[in-house]
Amino acid sequence: MILIIDDDSAIRSSLSFMLKRAKYDVLAVSCPKEAIKTVRSVTPQLILMDMNFSLSTNGEEGLILLRQVKLFCPDVPVILMTAWGSIPLAVQGMQAGAFDFITKPWNNAALMQRIETALELTSKDKSADTVLTDNDGFDRSHIIGKSKALLDVLTTVKRVARTGASVLVTGESGTGKELIAEAVHLNSPRRNKPFVKVNLGGISQTLFESEMFGHKKGAFTDAVTDRKGRFELADKGTIFLDEIGELDLSCQVKLLRVLQEQTFEPLGESRPRKVDVRVVCATNANLEQMVREHTFREDLFYRINLITVHLPALRERREDIPLLARHFADSRCKADGLSPVELTDDALDYLSRLPYPGNIRELKNLVERTLLVCGKQQLTADDFKAQYHPASTTSVTENLQGLTLEELERRTIMQALEAHGNNLSQVALSLGISRAALYRRLEKYGISFND
């Protein structure tokens, strides 16, 4: 049974009609007193709850009711309903234990999707069929490994993929977050629809709306033709927003509105367009800390991380290193038409002991570089030792006292460029940022380079 709590009879009627048509049992009540009386006697599967029940619109009644309901039904998901202007109130509700929030007026399809997602993710009888086996049809999307840390991640992916839940993939740079996002898509009902990748770290603030929402011909000086944005290209599929922690605050509110309302307006067009997308985000930043520092919107944070999947660093899954090393060697040989190359036991043992601050990306580069430079049919530990050049951190932080943050950042980038001979991949790796983010900083500080 789904419980509706709202003092507006029209909303109760429309929600009841929609849910009964979808074959759900529904009970609708008009005030907190009736709601508490109901949850004392029955346990709903899900609760749809308004945040205001009087002339006051501060939402205090709703927050009190939410806390009371969670005392009686701690495991029941609660979806809050509030106006767009009251999203900060919904954020307080999420902090108090709500499962999700939706703004009025809502899109029926989007609301039904969130209801189904909430019921799917909170059901207690689904755990048995989420254990990974060799022949369960789960598409790993080229994810290599058998460590417990990785299998725990994939088990979570298997369960959440079939829902419409937004997913936030976290982890250090180079851990393979894009592959996890792709696995979410390939194991979802949207698998035959588009999977659109967007690197938000490489999109400037001025181009954000055009890139994401598209534009009409003549919308601005260089708009010589109509152009579809990334959201429209991803319609009915999945959009992967990489490096979401790099997004400017002014762009974050524009993104939030699209994610919340599932509508957007191309530049030069005043009529909103509907879009149906599953959102998967990724970041190597600490978004919770950014929220505390007011550099990332708290309401957007709650919208994108209904489910958080943390990808372990390579040093936390060392038993996967031999599998990955052989995979990278075989793939490189196949791509270049070379004879297969063998990695000796001492080579695999050496590779398994390295620290890998650059994670899987660093391992891949080391294996491929050693294979191509040595040109041997058998690679030993000595071959890899000769090609292993750990990123140097000395001298980068010397003599920086008294500098502003921007001066410090510019100096650090200059020193990293010099240390790595203008190899931008190595520079980005040593700084812990993506290559696209490095390009933006080079442009920002007017630093010339020869890659």
Side-chain angles (χ1 to χ4, degrees), residues 5 29-40 65 68:
I5 311 171
V29 299
S30 62
C31 65
K33 184 177 180 180
E34 290 182 51
I36 294 301
K37 182 180 178 180
T38 300
V39 296
R40 281 179 182 273
L65 176 59
Q68 292 173 330

Side-chain angles (χ1 to χ4, degrees), residues 35-36 98-99 210 247 267 295 298 341 366 374 388 397 440-441:
I36 294 301
F99 180 85
S210 176
L247 195 58
L267 283 174
T295 56
E298 190 173 16
V341 171
L366 176 58
C374 294
Y388 179 57
T397 58
R440 289 173 55 220
R441 285 162 173 79

Side-chain angles (χ1 to χ4, degrees), residues 80-97:
L80 304 176
M81 299 180 292
T82 186
W84 170 262
S86 299
I87 283 185
L89 180 61
V91 169
Q92 293 181 55
M94 298 288 284
Q95 294 170 336

Side-chain angles (χ1 to χ4, degrees), residues 70 93 114 152 214 228 264 280 284 304 357 362 388 409 443:
K70 297 302 286 185
R114 286 175 185 164
D152 286 346
K228 288 185 177 181
F264 67 95
V280 181
N284 60 5
I304 64 175
E362 182 181 353
Y388 179 57
E409 185 176 52
E443 181 181 355

Side-chain angles (χ1 to χ4, degrees), residues 1 3-9 12 27-44 47-49 53 61 65 68-69 72-73:
M1 180 265 288
L3 175 63
I4 300 168
I5 311 171
D6 199 300
D7 60 349
D8 188 325
S9 60
R12 294 198 303 273
L27 176 62
V29 299
S30 62
C31 65
K33 184 177 180 180
E34 290 182 51
I36 294 301
K37 182 180 178 180
T38 300
V39 296
R40 281 179 182 273
S41 57
V42 297
T43 301
I47 298 172
L48 291 170
M49 193 178 88
F53 297 93
E61 286 178 302
L65 176 59
Q68 292 173 330
V69 164
F72 290 102
C73 307

Side-chain angles (χ1 to χ4, degrees), residues 396 410-428 430-431 438 442 447-451:
V396 176
R410 187 181 192 282
R411 180 80 64 85
T412 303
I413 292 172
M414 293 289 289
Q415 290 176 334
L417 284 167
E418 182 179 354
H420 297 286
N422 283 354
N423 184 317
L424 296 192
S425 295
Q426 289 298 319
V427 171
S430 69
L431 295 174
L438 175 60
L442 292 172
I447 300 174
S448 59
F449 60 92
N450 293 310
D451 189 5

Side-chain angles (χ1 to χ4, degrees), residues 14-15 18 21 106-113:
S14 62
L15 283 175
M18 179 185 73
R21 192 170 56 181
W106 59 81
N107 174 284
N108 281 348
L111 177 56
M112 285 303 304
Q113 183 182 79

